Amino acid sequence: MDAKARNCLLQHREALEKDIKTSYIMDHMISDGFLTISEEEKVRNEPTQQQRAAMLIKMILKKDNDSYISFYNALLHEGYKDLAALLHDGIPVVSSSSGKDSVSGITSYVRTVLCEGGVPQRPVVFVTRKKLVNAIQQKLSKLKGEPGWVTIHGMAGCGKSVLAAEAVRDHSLLEDCFPGGVHWVSVGKQDKSGLLMKLQNLCTRLDQDESFSQRLPLNIEEAKDRLRILMLRKHPRSLLILDDVWDSWVLKAFDNQCQILLTTRDKSVTDSVMGPKYVVPVESSLGKEKGLEILSLFVNMKKADLPEQAHSIIKECKGSPLVVSLIGALLRDFPNRWEYYLKQLQNKQFKRIRKSSSYDYEALDEAMSISVEMLREDIKYYYTDLSILQKDVKVPTKVLCILWDMETEEVEDILQQFVNKSLLFCDRNGKSFRYYLHDLQVDFLTEKNCSQLQDLHKKIITQFQRYHQPHTLSLDQEDCMYWYNFLAYHMASAKMHKELCALMFSLDWIKAKTELVGPAHLIHEFVEYRHILDEKVFKAETGEKLLEIKAHEDEVLCCAFSTDDRFIATCSVDKKVKIWNSVTGELVHTYDEHSEQVNCCHFTNSSHHLLLATGSSDCFLKLWDLNQTECRNTMFGHTNSVNHCRFSPDDNLLASCSADGTLKLWDVTSANERKSFNVKQFFLNSEDPQEDMEVIVKCCSWFADGARIMVAAKNKIFLFDIHTSGLLGEIHTGHHSTIQYCDFSPQNHLAVVALSQYCVELWNIDSCSKVADCRGHLSWVHGVKFSPDGSSFLTSSDDQTIRLWETKKVCKNSAIMLKQEVDVVFQENEVMVLAVDHIRRLQLINGKTGQIDYLTEAQVSCCCLSPHLQYIAFGDENGTIKILELVNNRIFQSRIRHKKTVWHIQFTANEKTLISSSDDSAIQVWNWQLEEYVFLQAHQETVKDFRLLKNSRLLSWSFDGTVKVWNIITGKIEKDFVCHQGTVLSCDISHDATKFSSTSADKTAKIWSFDLLLPLHELRGHNGCVRCSAFSVDSTLLATGDDNGEIRIWNVSNGELLHLCAPLSEEGAATHGGWVTDLCFSPDGKMLISAGGYIKWWNVVTGESSQTFYTNGTNLKKIHVSPDFKTYVTVDNLGILYILQTLE
């Protein structure tokens, strides 16, 4: 640090230590990269405000000139202008070309210019959006020193202000285009007096020496003239940034020959001003990876270590920068509340996601509401009508013409006003327009207008009936597909049950819809609306519904049967507890004494004197006597939400679980607290302050003797002795997800545990060992319950299913998981699968009958079947290869081993020779009957895979970027292709055997002729590793798939791109559930199947997806397809085998 700067800091040290509050100052310096997190922690550990300030200044004195400037700028930003003035004379002289700092790449010149202009600093947590920043900078450069407007527009919370500030954080842009400086004005929603104050403040900033006037302008016109003179004479070639402009009349006050960058939700605000205009639209979504990056920075974790809830939060809010930042800032203070904030999003509790940043609005709903309030009164109610739209559905203009009984042009004019204000989005499809809402806007509208939704749905049905008859809809009508997909949804939502039944049982409707969209959607609707259609369809089914009660106005959180089955208790987010007659469904009691949502309820085990216990987010437990109208007892003691309660077997005690980290036992007679167990202490490390950790005790279950109790919190189960308070045992589930619920069966000493990772586990309480995994649910499992005799248990999940499991069968079979390295042979009507399970058993599975033959146990790394099913071969991690003859179980072992793990193995067509490749870069050709060996050694790195060609030739590809053609009899290379700079990930051979394809980590694919050493075509356009390729049967098409979930179909003859399947979002989010790992064309070339996160079928002619099959797990490595394209075999990452067959 310069001596001058150091002396200035020392001279005013006492004044600084006395007045500054360090927390916000440090945020700025951390953002600039001149203060570390550990230094911040050291300052925070000081006991008083003055000592913290002294420690910070002591640190700055040891730093460089840039740290001094960062400190000075932070003082200005936080309103310490008098203190900043004291340090002004000590600011080190910096040239405009001074070096960049090590963290942000921003020069001292840039920092000084932006600070003096009032440009906000980067948020404490910041991720780049280079594409958008570059777009803004390009538009600013186009102004070329002349007056003009650059508009950044987008919906609330999409990050417009941050992007505007980031665009001018560029040395060359400021020096070349705006040498006069940058001046930031936060405009917002203003009336005329508010605008005048903004203009007066700006004029004061621009004329600090009062050389033009010592008097403030008295009206807007005078202020406009003053601003024009100041910008022309004192600040020529400067940039004026207007942040958050709402009205066009406000913009006229700044229309005075300036260069202006503005942010707005309404892109039409510049219609009223003159000069060149450029627009940069901002998408509402960051994309999954950027969203996760922000969360990881807020909570100081690696992206890979973020919990599952982080991914769900990004998905739920569609990557909204505002929501991600708000939740990230909240998690910074409460790092264990992932699940809580996810639930608030899912339940649309926007008010609970409150301000924790510099954003102007107190809560998320306020930010969206203000945009709606700014609409003209005559079109507001049209926006309310959009509350009936579903997420991710693009609605044709014609549908809204019918809804509003208007001409197309009138409707488009109204909708364009919503689009201009970023309240709606438009997608042009040919000559027509389709409109859609962001997910958060859908949630906001449905919450705000919840009381009107039924009437709004009824309105669209009434209007539809005026214009259409269901059976007369035809494909040439623009709105046809919308009604086929959503007419039943609108009828059900309008509670027009009679009309819905008539529609769903109309043979004309069923025939037309099946022909147009297939049977799957129709079947889904029958299941979705079965509670309405039950009288006609579902009465004969096992599991017949006996009673349906519309119990509460809001979400039902818990329900319980009384011991004698006469009553059902329900409790809800609406703070009410209700008692119902279980036979008639009549309401018996309503209790309304809790002040927050009621989370749990439970009846006593004896019906002799029936009591009900309830627990609430108001921290209280209440006891209710069904013979009384008011609460019998209220139990105080918990300091956070009560999540769960259970009576002891003898009904003398009540156990309660709370988010305060405790389990409490209460005396039922006196309602006094008997005992408290501090479960939280079992999760604390010695260095962790107790108040910083949140431990939510989820649930509990009593042992039959009433002397022991099982408790679940986070990912552990604890067993306590209630008399001694001693810990009897502890089970650690070993999962990153939390336990959602658990139950105990005294009969077999088993605990069933529901985890947030879609799975259910059975544990033996005596041995504290896991007995079984129960796989099958497709979403979070929230409830589990044993039958009284423990022979079965129920599970309920967000996948909208309740499953009944037989305990014995689950314990016997559930633990078998297959490895993903399988081989399949399709032979006439048989499907034979060779696989290895997780306990090393090699097994042959008949895909038609399900019969399993266990063959041998071995450390198998790969395996294969011979073409005629006479032999199997397998390789292991030691490089050993063995062949098993299936008729007599004779084993043949290769005398010469590979040096490393064997990864690929294949029989020749005559079954006499076995070919294998390994990590040792060699390919072994073993004539196992004659014990003859040929070694193919030329690759410099591991062989990725190989394929057999005709005439004893073989194609191999490697991590070394080459593809080689070998003669497997002589062992010599016949062709050597240098294909890619990166790893060759896959090859495929055309069916006419004249060409092959190669794909690579270098993001390209190539088509080669076997006769030429140069590629016929280089296929560019993928943005990720191209992982797989496949030729069509007629060799005219090639399909390629990459790590971003994108599939491209190419013309083989000219290398032209024909179709782009599963296109990427702008931010690069994968749309195939992950990598595309395998592809296969149908024999006629009209269909394509792909494997990745799940399985998809594509129409090759249109490039559109025709069907998707979601496996329980993900990361499918390969899809085995029968020659007739009717049977498909794969294994997911959970070890589940799928054998799928096309329905005729």
Side-chain angles (χ1 to χ4, degrees), residues 398 434 468 472-481 484 516:
K398 184 65 177 175
R434 294 177 183 271
H468 290 304
T472 63
L473 289 168
S474 61
L475 271 176
D476 59 350
Q477 295 169 303
E478 179 192 343
D479 57 334
C480 160
M481 291 307 297
Y484 274 119
L516 281 174

Side-chain angles (χ1 to χ4, degrees), residues 861 875-881 897-903 917-922 942:
S861 56
D876 66 20
E877 296 174 0
N878 297 320
T880 303
I881 300 168
R897 298 192 316 178
H898 282 283
K899 296 175 183 177
K900 295 183 179 179
T901 304
V902 182
W903 286 119
S917 67
S918 160
D919 274 342
D920 59 12
S921 307
T942 300

Side-chain angles (χ1 to χ4, degrees), residues 13 366 403 612 670 739 745 874 890 892 921 952 998 1088:
R13 184 174 189 169
E366 188 180 333
L403 175 61
L612 176 72
S670 65
I739 296 172
S745 171
F874 53 95
R890 280 197 305 166
F892 305 87
S921 307
S952 302
S998 64
L1088 175 73

